[in-house]
Structures are given as C-alpha cells and as structure tokens.
Amino acid sequence: MRVLVVEDERRMAAALQRGLQAEGFAVDLAHDGEEGLHAARHGDYDVVVLDIMLPKLSGYNVCKQLRAEENWVPILMLSAKDGEYDMADGLDLGADDYLTKPFSYVVLVARLRALMRRDAGRRPSVLLAGDLSLDPARRRVERGGTAIELTPREFALLEYLMRRRDEVVSKSEILEHVWDTFDTDPNVVEVYVGYLRRKIDAPFGRNALQTVRGAGYRLAGDGG
C-alpha cells in the first residue's frame, strides 16, 4: 500500500524507498518536516514513517499537528533517539509505533503491516472476496483453498483492489497507489489486470476482476 517516508538523510530515505518498493509498497519521500506535513495532509497514505530530527519542523510537531487536525493516518516514528522518554513523547503525541535506528528491516516491514491491519473494520488481517482470499502478512493468495502464485506487482494490485472491493477504481488511482507514479503508461494497468485475470479468475471459471468501460476496474466483493 502507499507509504510516506519523511526522512532528511537522503541516502537513508532512498534505501527505505527501494526496500519498501521491493516489498510491494508504493513510497513517496519528503525530506523536511514542512514538506512531510503538507504531503501527509493532502496525500492518501496508508501509513507514515516519520523521523524525529527533521529540518524546519520536527517529527514531534508534524505528528502533533496531524492529530490536532484529526488526521489519524498511522504513524511509525523512526529515530536515532532511543531514550525511553523520547519514545514516550512520540507515543503521547499520537504516534502509533516507534522504532529506533539502527533497526531490523524485517521488523520495520512487519510493524508497517501491523499498523495497516490495526483498524480491523477498514484493514482486516485477511482480505476476502467470496472464496478469494489475500493475506498481506503471509503474502499468500488463495481461491477456494487453492494457492495462487503472484509476482510482487500483481500482489500489490490485487491487494489494492480487494481493499476497495465493489468500488470502481480508475487507472490513475491504480498507478498512484500501486506504481507510485502518474507518469507510467496507463496501458501497463491493462496488462497487469490481464495477468491477474489469468491467475485468479480464468482457471476457476470466475469473473471477479471486472472492467467498467470509461471508468476503470472493479473487484467483485462476492468473488465473481
């Protein structure tokens, strides 16, 4: 899903972006507190990774302002400040989790996925559409109990569509959330939709992934 990383150390930010993209996340970067606050206010993010020691506006103040505006996007604070009071301050200001540098990348990814699942109503741990299931934590997709192998991009596309099942989703929305860009040729969405259909629908005689002419695509909540 879509992640905002607010980190002023550019090499660290780029490394986080590459690593998270390899796990199927779409990642935007901001390099100071003001830029991060603006992005978090106006972007549709599933989680924010927020450094504390930032130019212009500290991570503490970014978090404080977002919560004051009743913006409840999950926030994971990532910082070299490892004192117990530093951690307590971040959590008291409204952060959902706190991870100190240096950190285990495996733990970071697991914590991000846990934050995305925390709102059980909006982010169930296993996504269902009829007999089609997707488990984000285990990276597993099944149809009627039969395992389906997907590439990371196919998995990310299916996860996004299943989180918005029964909604019509445009190509531009898919490009923004799954490819992390508007510049990619929109035809790539059609190609990957075709790949998914050949894996989740055709072998089972189903029609879950539907084209809505002139509007986009819809994943049927009943599994097609």
mmCIF file of all heavy atoms in Angstrom, residues 108-144:
data_model
loop_
_atom_site.group_PDB
_atom_site.id
_atom_site.type_symbol
_atom_site.label_atom_id
_atom_site.label_comp_id
_atom_site.label_asym_id
_atom_site.label_seq_id
_atom_site.Cartn_x
_atom_site.Cartn_y
_atom_site.Cartn_z
ATOM 1 N N LEU A 108 10.806 -3.635 10.669
ATOM 2 C CA LEU A 108 10.146 -2.451 10.138
ATOM 3 C C LEU A 108 8.967 -2.839 9.245
ATOM 4 O O LEU A 108 7.853 -2.319 9.404
ATOM 5 C CB LEU A 108 11.144 -1.597 9.345
ATOM 6 C CG LEU A 108 10.532 -0.431 8.548
ATOM 7 C CD1 LEU A 108 9.877 0.589 9.481
ATOM 8 C CD2 LEU A 108 11.586 0.239 7.680
ATOM 9 N N VAL A 109 9.192 -3.737 8.306
ATOM 10 C CA VAL A 109 8.124 -4.148 7.389
ATOM 11 C C VAL A 109 6.979 -4.798 8.159
ATOM 12 O O VAL A 109 5.799 -4.521 7.903
ATOM 13 C CB VAL A 109 8.671 -5.097 6.305
ATOM 14 C CG1 VAL A 109 7.534 -5.699 5.489
ATOM 15 C CG2 VAL A 109 9.638 -4.347 5.394
ATOM 16 N N ALA A 110 7.302 -5.646 9.127
ATOM 17 C CA ALA A 110 6.261 -6.310 9.916
ATOM 18 C C ALA A 110 5.440 -5.296 10.703
ATOM 19 O O ALA A 110 4.216 -5.413 10.804
ATOM 20 C CB ALA A 110 6.896 -7.328 10.869
ATOM 21 N N ARG A 111 6.109 -4.285 11.247
ATOM 22 C CA ARG A 111 5.381 -3.276 12.022
ATOM 23 C C ARG A 111 4.502 -2.416 11.119
ATOM 24 O O ARG A 111 3.385 -2.031 11.511
ATOM 25 C CB ARG A 111 6.364 -2.407 12.806
ATOM 26 C CG ARG A 111 7.002 -3.147 13.973
ATOM 27 C CD ARG A 111 7.738 -2.196 14.895
ATOM 28 N NE ARG A 111 8.278 -2.895 16.036
ATOM 29 C CZ ARG A 111 8.835 -2.274 17.082
ATOM 30 N NH1 ARG A 111 8.928 -0.950 17.097
ATOM 31 N NH2 ARG A 111 9.297 -2.972 18.086
ATOM 32 N N LEU A 112 4.976 -2.101 9.919
ATOM 33 C CA LEU A 112 4.147 -1.342 8.993
ATOM 34 C C LEU A 112 2.894 -2.127 8.631
ATOM 35 O O LEU A 112 1.786 -1.582 8.599
ATOM 36 C CB LEU A 112 4.938 -0.997 7.725
ATOM 37 C CG LEU A 112 6.063 0.026 7.891
ATOM 38 C CD1 LEU A 112 6.777 0.251 6.564
ATOM 39 C CD2 LEU A 112 5.524 1.348 8.424
ATOM 40 N N ARG A 113 3.051 -3.408 8.358
ATOM 41 C CA ARG A 113 1.879 -4.221 8.019
ATOM 42 C C ARG A 113 0.933 -4.337 9.213
ATOM 43 O O ARG A 113 -0.290 -4.342 9.054
ATOM 44 C CB ARG A 113 2.316 -5.601 7.534
ATOM 45 C CG ARG A 113 3.057 -5.545 6.204
ATOM 46 C CD ARG A 113 3.123 -6.898 5.521
ATOM 47 N NE ARG A 113 3.823 -6.804 4.257
ATOM 48 C CZ ARG A 113 3.274 -6.366 3.130
ATOM 49 N NH1 ARG A 113 2.012 -5.986 3.116
ATOM 50 N NH2 ARG A 113 3.977 -6.307 2.013
ATOM 51 N N ALA A 114 1.486 -4.415 10.425
ATOM 52 C CA ALA A 114 0.642 -4.477 11.620
ATOM 53 C C ALA A 114 -0.157 -3.187 11.790
ATOM 54 O O ALA A 114 -1.344 -3.221 12.145
ATOM 55 C CB ALA A 114 1.501 -4.737 12.856
ATOM 56 N N LEU A 115 0.470 -2.030 11.521
ATOM 57 C CA LEU A 115 -0.242 -0.763 11.613
ATOM 58 C C LEU A 115 -1.378 -0.703 10.608
ATOM 59 O O LEU A 115 -2.467 -0.204 10.901
ATOM 60 C CB LEU A 115 0.718 0.407 11.383
ATOM 61 C CG LEU A 115 1.699 0.720 12.514
ATOM 62 C CD1 LEU A 115 2.604 1.879 12.116
ATOM 63 C CD2 LEU A 115 0.950 1.055 13.797
ATOM 64 N N MET A 116 -1.149 -1.223 9.401
ATOM 65 C CA MET A 116 -2.183 -1.205 8.376
ATOM 66 C C MET A 116 -3.361 -2.106 8.744
ATOM 67 O O MET A 116 -4.479 -1.881 8.310
ATOM 68 C CB MET A 116 -1.593 -1.635 7.035
ATOM 69 C CG MET A 116 -0.620 -0.634 6.448
ATOM 70 S SD MET A 116 0.073 -1.239 4.893
ATOM 71 C CE MET A 116 1.064 0.169 4.400
ATOM 72 N N ARG A 117 -3.100 -3.127 9.549
ATOM 73 C CA ARG A 117 -4.172 -4.043 9.945
ATOM 74 C C ARG A 117 -4.894 -3.587 11.203
ATOM 75 O O ARG A 117 -5.920 -4.162 11.576
ATOM 76 C CB ARG A 117 -3.604 -5.446 10.207
ATOM 77 C CG ARG A 117 -3.026 -6.127 8.999
ATOM 78 C CD ARG A 117 -2.810 -7.606 9.284
ATOM 79 N NE ARG A 117 -1.953 -7.846 10.431
ATOM 80 C CZ ARG A 117 -0.631 -7.990 10.351
ATOM 81 N NH1 ARG A 117 -0.016 -7.893 9.183
ATOM 82 N NH2 ARG A 117 0.084 -8.225 11.432
ATOM 83 N N ARG A 118 -4.360 -2.582 11.881
ATOM 84 C CA ARG A 118 -4.852 -2.255 13.227
ATOM 85 C C ARG A 118 -6.311 -1.834 13.220
ATOM 86 O O ARG A 118 -7.061 -2.173 14.141
ATOM 87 C CB ARG A 118 -3.983 -1.172 13.849
ATOM 88 C CG ARG A 118 -4.298 -0.944 15.316
ATOM 89 C CD ARG A 118 -3.183 -0.162 15.984
ATOM 90 N NE ARG A 118 -1.960 -0.965 16.088
ATOM 91 C CZ ARG A 118 -0.820 -0.497 16.578
ATOM 92 N NH1 ARG A 118 -0.726 0.761 16.965
ATOM 93 N NH2 ARG A 118 0.238 -1.281 16.654
ATOM 94 N N ASP A 119 -6.731 -1.090 12.224
ATOM 95 C CA ASP A 119 -8.140 -0.724 12.106
ATOM 96 C C ASP A 119 -8.860 -1.921 11.494
ATOM 97 O O ASP A 119 -8.922 -2.086 10.295
ATOM 98 C CB ASP A 119 -8.296 0.514 11.220
ATOM 99 C CG ASP A 119 -9.749 0.937 11.085
ATOM 100 O OD1 ASP A 119 -10.639 0.168 11.512
ATOM 101 O OD2 ASP A 119 -9.997 2.029 10.554
ATOM 102 N N ALA A 120 -9.421 -2.754 12.345
ATOM 103 C CA ALA A 120 -9.986 -4.024 11.877
ATOM 104 C C ALA A 120 -11.132 -3.824 10.895
ATOM 105 O O ALA A 120 -11.359 -4.651 10.015
ATOM 106 C CB ALA A 120 -10.462 -4.856 13.070
ATOM 107 N N GLY A 121 -11.895 -2.723 11.042
ATOM 108 C CA GLY A 121 -13.008 -2.506 10.129
ATOM 109 C C GLY A 121 -12.541 -2.195 8.733
ATOM 110 O O GLY A 121 -13.093 -2.696 7.751
ATOM 111 N N ARG A 122 -11.501 -1.364 8.613
ATOM 112 C CA ARG A 122 -11.046 -0.934 7.299
ATOM 113 C C ARG A 122 -9.934 -1.827 6.770
ATOM 114 O O ARG A 122 -9.768 -1.997 5.576
ATOM 115 C CB ARG A 122 -10.550 0.511 7.394
ATOM 116 C CG ARG A 122 -10.131 1.087 6.069
ATOM 117 C CD ARG A 122 -9.999 2.587 6.148
ATOM 118 N NE ARG A 122 -9.454 3.103 4.897
ATOM 119 C CZ ARG A 122 -8.330 3.771 4.802
ATOM 120 N NH1 ARG A 122 -7.616 4.003 5.868
ATOM 121 N NH2 ARG A 122 -7.915 4.229 3.638
ATOM 122 N N ARG A 123 -9.143 -2.398 7.688
ATOM 123 C CA ARG A 123 -7.977 -3.164 7.270
ATOM 124 C C ARG A 123 -7.960 -4.534 7.956
ATOM 125 O O ARG A 123 -7.182 -4.755 8.868
ATOM 126 C CB ARG A 123 -6.695 -2.405 7.601
ATOM 127 C CG ARG A 123 -6.669 -1.010 7.010
ATOM 128 C CD ARG A 123 -5.306 -0.366 7.200
ATOM 129 N NE ARG A 123 -5.357 1.022 6.823
ATOM 130 C CZ ARG A 123 -5.382 1.456 5.588
ATOM 131 N NH1 ARG A 123 -5.377 0.608 4.595
ATOM 132 N NH2 ARG A 123 -5.431 2.741 5.308
ATOM 133 N N PRO A 124 -8.841 -5.435 7.542
ATOM 134 C CA PRO A 124 -8.817 -6.775 8.130
ATOM 135 C C PRO A 124 -7.502 -7.471 7.836
ATOM 136 O O PRO A 124 -6.842 -7.194 6.843
ATOM 137 C CB PRO A 124 -9.990 -7.486 7.442
ATOM 138 C CG PRO A 124 -10.188 -6.730 6.165
ATOM 139 C CD PRO A 124 -9.822 -5.314 6.465
ATOM 140 N N SER A 125 -7.117 -8.422 8.724
ATOM 141 C CA SER A 125 -5.833 -9.091 8.556
ATOM 142 C C SER A 125 -5.809 -9.956 7.302
ATOM 143 O O SER A 125 -4.765 -10.122 6.675
ATOM 144 C CB SER A 125 -5.509 -9.933 9.789
ATOM 145 O OG SER A 125 -6.541 -10.870 10.017
ATOM 146 N N VAL A 126 -6.955 -10.542 6.933
ATOM 147 C CA VAL A 126 -7.074 -11.295 5.692
ATOM 148 C C VAL A 126 -8.209 -10.690 4.877
ATOM 149 O O VAL A 126 -9.324 -10.521 5.378
ATOM 150 C CB VAL A 126 -7.355 -12.791 5.958
ATOM 151 C CG1 VAL A 126 -7.546 -13.541 4.646
ATOM 152 C CG2 VAL A 126 -6.211 -13.418 6.754
ATOM 153 N N LEU A 127 -7.926 -10.328 3.641
ATOM 154 C CA LEU A 127 -8.929 -9.721 2.770
ATOM 155 C C LEU A 127 -9.693 -10.818 2.038
ATOM 156 O O LEU A 127 -9.100 -11.773 1.535
ATOM 157 C CB LEU A 127 -8.251 -8.788 1.762
ATOM 158 C CG LEU A 127 -7.356 -7.703 2.358
ATOM 159 C CD1 LEU A 127 -6.672 -6.917 1.248
ATOM 160 C CD2 LEU A 127 -8.154 -6.767 3.239
ATOM 161 N N LEU A 128 -11.019 -10.663 1.961
ATOM 162 C CA LEU A 128 -11.864 -11.676 1.353
ATOM 163 C C LEU A 128 -12.769 -11.071 0.297
ATOM 164 O O LEU A 128 -13.300 -9.967 0.462
ATOM 165 C CB LEU A 128 -12.727 -12.359 2.419
ATOM 166 C CG LEU A 128 -12.003 -13.117 3.536
ATOM 167 C CD1 LEU A 128 -12.997 -13.579 4.587
ATOM 168 C CD2 LEU A 128 -11.227 -14.293 2.964
ATOM 169 N N ALA A 129 -12.958 -11.821 -0.782
ATOM 170 C CA ALA A 129 -13.951 -11.508 -1.807
ATOM 171 C C ALA A 129 -14.523 -12.852 -2.248
ATOM 172 O O ALA A 129 -13.955 -13.529 -3.107
ATOM 173 C CB ALA A 129 -13.329 -10.769 -2.990
ATOM 174 N N GLY A 130 -15.603 -13.270 -1.617
ATOM 175 C CA GLY A 130 -16.111 -14.612 -1.853
ATOM 176 C C GLY A 130 -15.097 -15.639 -1.389
ATOM 177 O O GLY A 130 -14.608 -15.590 -0.255
ATOM 178 N N ASP A 131 -14.725 -16.567 -2.281
ATOM 179 C CA ASP A 131 -13.743 -17.592 -1.910
ATOM 180 C C ASP A 131 -12.315 -17.185 -2.272
ATOM 181 O O ASP A 131 -11.386 -17.982 -2.178
ATOM 182 C CB ASP A 131 -14.086 -18.930 -2.561
ATOM 183 C CG ASP A 131 -14.011 -18.889 -4.084
ATOM 184 O OD1 ASP A 131 -13.888 -17.777 -4.653
ATOM 185 O OD2 ASP A 131 -14.089 -19.960 -4.709
ATOM 186 N N LEU A 132 -12.151 -15.925 -2.688
ATOM 187 C CA LEU A 132 -10.821 -15.382 -2.969
ATOM 188 C C LEU A 132 -10.292 -14.703 -1.707
ATOM 189 O O LEU A 132 -10.961 -13.833 -1.142
ATOM 190 C CB LEU A 132 -10.891 -14.378 -4.117
ATOM 191 C CG LEU A 132 -9.589 -13.701 -4.546
ATOM 192 C CD1 LEU A 132 -8.605 -14.712 -5.117
ATOM 193 C CD2 LEU A 132 -9.883 -12.608 -5.577
ATOM 194 N N SER A 133 -9.102 -15.101 -1.256
ATOM 195 C CA SER A 133 -8.543 -14.523 -0.039
ATOM 196 C C SER A 133 -7.114 -14.054 -0.279
ATOM 197 O O SER A 133 -6.379 -14.649 -1.075
ATOM 198 C CB SER A 133 -8.564 -15.537 1.109
ATOM 199 O OG SER A 133 -7.689 -16.617 0.851
ATOM 200 N N LEU A 134 -6.740 -12.985 0.414
ATOM 201 C CA LEU A 134 -5.389 -12.428 0.335
ATOM 202 C C LEU A 134 -4.929 -12.103 1.742
ATOM 203 O O LEU A 134 -5.595 -11.365 2.464
ATOM 204 C CB LEU A 134 -5.368 -11.190 -0.560
ATOM 205 C CG LEU A 134 -4.006 -10.514 -0.789
ATOM 206 C CD1 LEU A 134 -3.930 -9.890 -2.187
ATOM 207 C CD2 LEU A 134 -3.747 -9.430 0.257
ATOM 208 N N ASP A 135 -3.804 -12.675 2.128
ATOM 209 C CA ASP A 135 -3.219 -12.449 3.446
ATOM 210 C C ASP A 135 -1.975 -11.578 3.275
ATOM 211 O O ASP A 135 -0.929 -12.065 2.845
ATOM 212 C CB ASP A 135 -2.846 -13.793 4.076
ATOM 213 C CG ASP A 135 -2.339 -13.658 5.506
ATOM 214 O OD1 ASP A 135 -1.838 -12.568 5.866
ATOM 215 O OD2 ASP A 135 -2.430 -14.640 6.260
ATOM 216 N N PRO A 136 -2.054 -10.273 3.589
ATOM 217 C CA PRO A 136 -0.902 -9.383 3.378
ATOM 218 C C PRO A 136 0.324 -9.782 4.188
ATOM 219 O O PRO A 136 1.447 -9.640 3.717
ATOM 220 C CB PRO A 136 -1.435 -8.014 3.818
ATOM 221 C CG PRO A 136 -2.919 -8.119 3.715
ATOM 222 C CD PRO A 136 -3.241 -9.544 4.074
ATOM 223 N N ALA A 137 0.117 -10.252 5.410
ATOM 224 C CA ALA A 137 1.262 -10.583 6.265
ATOM 225 C C ALA A 137 2.020 -11.795 5.747
ATOM 226 O O ALA A 137 3.254 -11.819 5.739
ATOM 227 C CB ALA A 137 0.787 -10.829 7.696
ATOM 228 N N ARG A 138 1.294 -12.817 5.294
ATOM 229 C CA ARG A 138 1.932 -14.045 4.815
ATOM 230 C C ARG A 138 2.210 -14.001 3.314
ATOM 231 O O ARG A 138 2.803 -14.928 2.765
ATOM 232 C CB ARG A 138 1.041 -15.246 5.139
ATOM 233 C CG ARG A 138 0.862 -15.491 6.623
ATOM 234 C CD ARG A 138 -0.212 -16.530 6.894
ATOM 235 N NE ARG A 138 0.146 -17.817 6.305
ATOM 236 C CZ ARG A 138 -0.744 -18.739 5.958
ATOM 237 N NH1 ARG A 138 -2.037 -18.509 6.101
ATOM 238 N NH2 ARG A 138 -0.339 -19.888 5.438
ATOM 239 N N ARG A 139 1.751 -12.928 2.656
ATOM 240 C CA ARG A 139 1.948 -12.771 1.209
ATOM 241 C C ARG A 139 1.349 -13.973 0.472
ATOM 242 O O ARG A 139 1.953 -14.548 -0.426
ATOM 243 C CB ARG A 139 3.435 -12.620 0.855
ATOM 244 C CG ARG A 139 4.181 -11.565 1.628
ATOM 245 C CD ARG A 139 3.732 -10.183 1.309
ATOM 246 N NE ARG A 139 4.138 -9.756 -0.027
ATOM 247 C CZ ARG A 139 3.769 -8.595 -0.570
ATOM 248 N NH1 ARG A 139 2.957 -7.783 0.082
ATOM 249 N NH2 ARG A 139 4.182 -8.272 -1.774
ATOM 250 N N ARG A 140 0.129 -14.334 0.850
ATOM 251 C CA ARG A 140 -0.488 -15.539 0.313
ATOM 252 C C ARG A 140 -1.858 -15.217 -0.280
ATOM 253 O O ARG A 140 -2.654 -14.497 0.333
ATOM 254 C CB ARG A 140 -0.627 -16.596 1.410
ATOM 255 C CG ARG A 140 -1.172 -17.936 0.921
ATOM 256 C CD ARG A 140 -1.145 -18.972 2.045
ATOM 257 N NE ARG A 140 -1.689 -20.261 1.625
ATOM 258 C CZ ARG A 140 -0.986 -21.194 0.997
ATOM 259 N NH1 ARG A 140 0.284 -20.977 0.726
ATOM 260 N NH2 ARG A 140 -1.539 -22.341 0.649
ATOM 261 N N VAL A 141 -2.117 -15.775 -1.460
ATOM 262 C CA VAL A 141 -3.416 -15.625 -2.118
ATOM 263 C C VAL A 141 -3.973 -17.021 -2.386
ATOM 264 O O VAL A 141 -3.244 -17.917 -2.824
ATOM 265 C CB VAL A 141 -3.291 -14.852 -3.456
ATOM 266 C CG1 VAL A 141 -4.621 -14.817 -4.200
ATOM 267 C CG2 VAL A 141 -2.782 -13.433 -3.197
ATOM 268 N N GLU A 142 -5.268 -17.189 -2.110
ATOM 269 C CA GLU A 142 -5.925 -18.469 -2.364
ATOM 270 C C GLU A 142 -7.286 -18.233 -3.006
ATOM 271 O O GLU A 142 -7.938 -17.216 -2.744
ATOM 272 C CB GLU A 142 -6.114 -19.267 -1.066
ATOM 273 C CG GLU A 142 -4.823 -19.719 -0.411
ATOM 274 C CD GLU A 142 -5.073 -20.553 0.831
ATOM 275 O OE1 GLU A 142 -6.255 -20.675 1.242
ATOM 276 O OE2 GLU A 142 -4.105 -21.090 1.390
ATOM 277 N N ARG A 143 -7.705 -19.197 -3.817
ATOM 278 C CA ARG A 143 -9.065 -19.199 -4.377
ATOM 279 C C ARG A 143 -9.656 -20.565 -4.041
ATOM 280 O O ARG A 143 -9.170 -21.595 -4.510
ATOM 281 C CB ARG A 143 -9.025 -18.962 -5.884
ATOM 282 C CG ARG A 143 -10.329 -19.240 -6.619
ATOM 283 C CD ARG A 143 -11.361 -18.147 -6.423
ATOM 284 N NE ARG A 143 -11.270 -17.092 -7.416
ATOM 285 C CZ ARG A 143 -12.194 -16.125 -7.526
ATOM 286 N NH1 ARG A 143 -13.243 -16.087 -6.708
ATOM 287 N NH2 ARG A 143 -12.051 -15.165 -8.428
ATOM 288 N N GLY A 144 -10.660 -20.574 -3.170
ATOM 289 C CA GLY A 144 -11.274 -21.828 -2.773
ATOM 290 C C GLY A 144 -10.295 -22.797 -2.153
ATOM 291 O O GLY A 144 -10.418 -24.013 -2.314
#
